[in-house]
Amino acid sequence: LPSMQTSGSKPCPCPSFKLREVASMYFTMIAVFLVILVVALQGSAPRGSDFPYKVPLDPQGLLELSWNVSYPEQAVYFQLFVRDLRFGLLFGMSDRGEFENADLAVLWSDGHNSYFGDAWSDAKGQLHMDSQQDYQLLGARRTPEGLYLLFRRAFSTCDPKDYLIEDGTVHLIYGILEKPVHSLQAINISAIHRGLQRVQLLKPNITIPELPSNMKTMEITAPNIVIPSQETTYWCYMAELPDNFPKHHIIMYEPVITVGNEALVHHMEVFQCAAEFDSFPHYNGPCDSKTKPDRLNYCRHVLAAWAMGAQAFYYPKEAGLAFGGPGSSRYLRLEIHYHNPLVFKGRHDSSGIRLYFTATLRRYDAGIMELGLVYTPVMAIPPGEDAFILTGYCTDKCTQLALPAAGIRIFASQLHTHLAGRKVVTVLSRDGRERQVVNADGHYSPHFQEIRMLKEVVAVFPGDELITTCTYNTEDRSRATVGGFGILEEMCVNYVHYYPQTQLELCKSAVDPGYLHRYFNLVNRFNDEEVCTCPQVSVPQQFFSVPWNTFNRDVLKSLYSFAPISMHCNKSSAVRFPGEWEKQPLPTITERLQEPVPRCQPTPGPAAPVPLNLGKLRRD
């Protein structure tokens, strides 16, 4: 199963049975002691500084998750705050937020006694007590505000039923038990109030740079709008920098969330508009409205991006993102995604992003470079595919020509696809050998996109290659999905943030159009149904007319894996660097990176729930 630890990974070196048995007894004694100790401590809430990362789980704000990451222990410490506890809850992780084949921590009550245990759900959603109790309960504390539940979970375990916690997106699931249950198996997960939240659990452990004393702030926020009473809204608002605003460096930004709307503001971005236009119309309304001026589509240069669960974003001490001054537009577009599944009415909002900037310019301007695939229909995904792979290349020829001799340093990355995207990874290759993963997300979701600081800076030198691979799922589609700008078309992009800024703004590829034309001719030759390859028929129409049998699918996969590419090695002005960029050979990779072997820990305890004394629970 893709969500389970055994999928796609090598067996982990588990301890011997005797060692596991001794470790089990030891951890059980420790866990029971901690539970007795901490449950007895009623009163004050745990310190927020112990759990620096926080996200609301449900739209009503009844459940709030805080956590901390211990890289030395290879473990995550969770604090779950339950504002109005009824008869228990479920919390856990799964591949894409399903409640089937999920890894769960469960608190349940029969009305008199309460229990905590590590469980898993099968393909039908039936719950089972796990034979290994890898969610370690550290304490439960009642306060006047609600219940605090503290527990620990290792990144990787030797349990095939457990989720492997990795870098990238994690789909968290939760459920609230509103009636007493007499056993774990009696919980019907299809009948409970439940939901999904996406987060990046494994935050990078980086040092926050010292901020200058002359730092200023600017808030780009919505002007007290009324959030529409519908589940999903993208709201656009145009803002302006002051007249004659000189060049500054953005050195940090953070979210500004209206109190009470923490569970509704899903993600936000601030875009700078194209400098080629002298002015942009004012606008304040839904981004998909027919009244939105078309010119706003030219506001696409990302200055800041935030998603739920993210903290402040800091630039490295050597660099800042330039805005203002000659050649820079005064106009900015704020875009806010509101997720309002309970369809609240009349909620006012003034959320946005606070920019921290300085007139004392740092040593380097930071730059943003696009890697991956060109936005073109020649890259397509057949319908009915569960894991179709497309790859875009930034070749050694382009980096040799466009990067300085000392190279560049990538410090952050934002991965991007449209609705069919499931995985994205960018790998650095040098001399034909894969050297380093730049950024990877094996549980990528197009509904959770943020600029993520990398755990370590990646140095890229002239002659290096940056290879971006995207995996798509089109099982719910009946015709081909082509590349393009539309939401039902696809993209494969990694926006890398780096310094020092160069002229190279886009380093992407697509299959050579001539070879794709040969593919359509081949389909005509070997299939009864004719595919029109006339010049007047567009590439999307040709793809839509392909009969997607096994042969046509396999030939397309083969085409993308060997055919020459058209390289786009572009300057900021959208003009290619001088050189021959058509019919370029694919990079040759002679040595692949090895999959990391998970480091498993001894089993914490036997397959038995931990009893808790939580007092009388609510029935109404």
Side-chain angles (χ1 to χ4, degrees):
L1 299 172
S3 64
M4 299 302 167
Q5 184 171 322
T6 53
S7 174
S9 62
K10 298 181 180 178
C12 55
C14 298
S16 67
F17 175 76
K18 288 183 179 179
L19 177 60
R20 286 175 58 183
E21 192 173 9
V22 172
S24 171
M25 294 172 61
Y26 171 76
F27 278 109
T28 301
M29 291 171 61
I30 293 295
V32 170
F33 172 75
L34 284 170
V35 170
I36 293 171
L37 176 66
V38 182
V39 171
L41 297 175
Q42 305 290 322
S44 61
R47 293 179 304 173
S49 58
D50 295 336
F51 300 92
Y53 313 116
K54 184 167 67 175
V55 66
L57 289 182
D58 72 308
Q60 291 178 294
L62 298 177
L63 295 176
E64 184 177 271
L65 178 72
S66 304
W67 74 97
N68 206 344
V69 182
S70 173
Y71 285 102
E73 295 181 35
Q74 294 283 286
V76 181
Y77 285 81
F78 294 102
Q79 175 184 278
L80 196 55
F81 173 61
V82 189
R83 197 174 302 279
D84 185 21
L85 180 66
R86 297 297 181 93
F87 291 94
L89 57 90
L90 287 72
F91 169 82
M93 298 167 270
S94 66
D95 181 36
R96 305 207 62 81
E98 315 92 338
F99 275 76
E100 298 75 30
N101 300 318
D103 178 12
L104 297 160
V106 185
L107 173 68
W108 76 96
S109 171
D110 59 10
H112 304 284
N113 301 304
S114 300
Y115 304 91
F116 177 92
D118 183 342
W120 58 277
S121 62
D122 58 27
K124 295 182 178 179
Q126 178 64 49
L127 294 187
H128 305 269
M129 183 64 63
D130 205 326
S131 59
Q132 292 182 194
Q133 293 293 291
D134 293 305
Y135 283 105
Q136 295 174 263
L137 182 65
L138 302 178
R141 190 175 300 183
R142 296 294 291 265
T143 72
E145 295 79 29
L147 172 72
Y148 288 89
L149 199 64
L150 283 74
F151 50 98
R152 175 189 184 275
R153 169 68 153 72
F155 295 173
S156 62
T157 69
C158 289
D159 186 347
K161 300 299 183 185
D162 281 354
Y163 180 95
L164 176 63
I165 300 176
E166 302 174 288
D167 291 332
T169 302
V170 177
H171 292 71
L172 302 177
I173 55 178
Y174 67 88
I176 298 173
L177 303 181
E178 297 181 332
K179 297 179 180 179
V181 290
H182 295 285
S183 68
L184 180 78
Q185 290 74 19
I187 298 174
N188 180 2
I189 62 173
S190 64
I192 63 174
H193 171 67
R194 62 186 194 175
L196 157 71
Q197 186 61 278
R198 301 175 182 91
V199 300
Q200 180 196 18
L201 276 183
L202 301 188
K203 301 288 188 181
N205 187 18
I206 61 173
T207 303
I208 295 175
E210 186 177 346
L211 299 175
S213 58
N214 66 345
M215 180 177 65
K216 297 180 180 179
T217 64
M218 175 187 299
E219 292 188 359
I220 313 296
T221 56
N224 194 31
I225 70 158
V226 177
I227 300 174
S229 53
Q230 58 192 35
E231 181 171 347
T232 300
T233 300
Y234 284 84
W235 193 272
C236 284
Y237 170 67
M238 292 296 292
E240 292 180 39
L241 297 175
D243 288 331
N244 302 314
F245 187 73
K247 180 179 178 179
H248 289 77
H249 270 168
I250 298 172
I251 55 177
M252 169 191 166
Y253 62 81
E254 64 183 0
V256 179
I257 310 293
T258 298
V259 174
N261 292 344
E262 292 85 355
L264 301 182
V265 180
H266 186 271
H267 70 257
M268 303 181 287
E269 292 185 271
V270 175
F271 300 90
Q272 189 167 34
C273 300
E276 61 203 70
F277 296 100
D278 292 332
S279 65
F280 281 80
H282 291 285
Y283 183 73
N284 180 39
C287 299
D288 59 356
S289 170
K290 293 180 179 179
T291 63
K292 187 190 81 170
D294 290 340
R295 185 168 288 191
L296 269 61
N297 295 328
Y298 291 90
C299 304
R300 296 178 53 207
H301 178 68
V302 179
L303 289 184
W306 172 89
M308 191 178 282
Q311 288 193 306
F313 182 93
Y314 294 87
Y315 280 83
K317 64 179 184 300
E318 302 89 351
L321 185 65
F323 80 134
S328 176
S329 175
R330 293 177 48 229
Y331 295 92
L332 309 176
R333 176 168 66 89
L334 172 69
E335 181 175 303
I336 303 179
H337 173 198
Y338 294 105
H339 182 57
N340 184 13
L342 299 181
V343 195
F344 291 121
K345 300 183 188 303
R347 286 284 189 96
H348 287 255
D349 188 69
S350 299
S351 299
I353 288 180
R354 182 182 295 119
L355 304 175
Y356 291 76
F357 59 96
T358 176
T360 306
L361 303 182
R362 291 180 168 179
R363 181 178 179 185
Y364 299 116
D365 283 352
I368 302 173
M369 186 191 308
E370 287 190 39
L371 306 175
L373 288 172
V374 182
Y375 309 129
T376 168
V378 302
M379 305 301 296
I381 306 133
E385 293 283 343
D386 65 338
F388 194 87
I389 292 172
L390 294 178
T391 300
Y393 302 91
C394 178
T395 61
D396 54 351
K397 184 176 178 180
C398 182
T399 62
Q400 188 71 54
L401 187 65
L403 298 188
I408 60 172
R409 304 293 184 269
I410 299 176
F411 61 88
S413 162
Q414 183 183 16
L415 306 174
H416 179 75
T417 75
H418 284 172
L419 299 179
R422 294 295 182 268
K423 299 180 182 181
V424 187
V425 59
T426 297
V427 175
L428 170 69
S429 174
R430 185 174 296 147
D431 301 323
R433 291 179 294 177
E434 291 183 346
R435 296 295 185 94
Q436 188 175 1
V437 173
V438 178
N439 193 8
D441 196 337
H443 301 275
Y444 173 85
S445 170
H447 305 293
F448 184 66
Q449 301 183 38
E450 60 182 348
I451 302 173
R452 291 177 180 164
M453 292 177 277
L454 303 184
K455 288 182 176 177
E456 57 183 52
V457 171
V458 177
V460 184
F461 296 99
D464 286 352
E465 294 159 331
L466 292 161
I467 302 172
T468 301
T469 300
C470 294
T471 304
Y472 302 93
N473 183 295
T474 57
E475 289 180 300
D476 60 343
R477 301 190 181 187
S478 57
R479 70 177 189 177
T481 300
V482 299
F485 290 97
I487 194 62
L488 294 178
E489 297 172 327
E490 266 309 331
M491 294 184 173
C492 178
V493 187
N494 185 354
Y495 299 97
V496 292
H497 295 242
Y498 72 96
Y499 67 87
Q501 186 178 31
T502 69
Q503 284 191 299
L504 182 61
E505 188 166 278
L506 187 148
C507 190
K508 302 164 82 172
S509 71
V511 71
D512 177 73
Y515 274 74
L516 181 64
H517 186 72
R518 295 182 194 179
Y519 167 76
F520 290 131
N521 286 336
L522 187 69
V523 170
N524 267 337
R525 183 180 304 175
F526 287 95
N527 289 273
D528 295 333
E529 301 176 49
E530 185 172 326
V531 178
C532 184
T533 56
C534 322
Q536 66 268 28
V537 177
S538 67
V539 169
Q541 288 302 323
Q542 293 180 65
F543 269 121
F544 297 156
S545 63
V546 170
W548 289 110
N549 53 43
T550 302
F551 175 81
N552 291 341
R553 293 171 188 272
D554 290 345
V555 173
L556 184 64
K557 290 177 187 177
S558 179
L559 174 80
Y560 287 148
S561 66
F562 80 83
I565 54 175
S566 169
M567 263 305 299
H568 289 240
C569 185
N570 291 10
K571 300 181 181 181
S572 302
S573 55
V575 175
R576 293 188 194 185
F577 279 84
E580 179 53 53
W581 301 110
E582 300 301 329
K583 291 184 170 57
Q584 296 296 295
L586 292 180
T588 302
I589 304 299
T590 58
E591 184 179 317
R592 301 282 180 183
L593 282 171
Q594 295 297 309
E595 286 284 332
V597 178
R599 196 179 88 195
C600 301
Q601 299 183 6
T603 308
V610 177
L612 291 173
N613 180 14
L614 298 177
K616 188 175 181 180
L617 300 182
R618 283 189 54 195
R619 285 187 175 272
D620 51 18

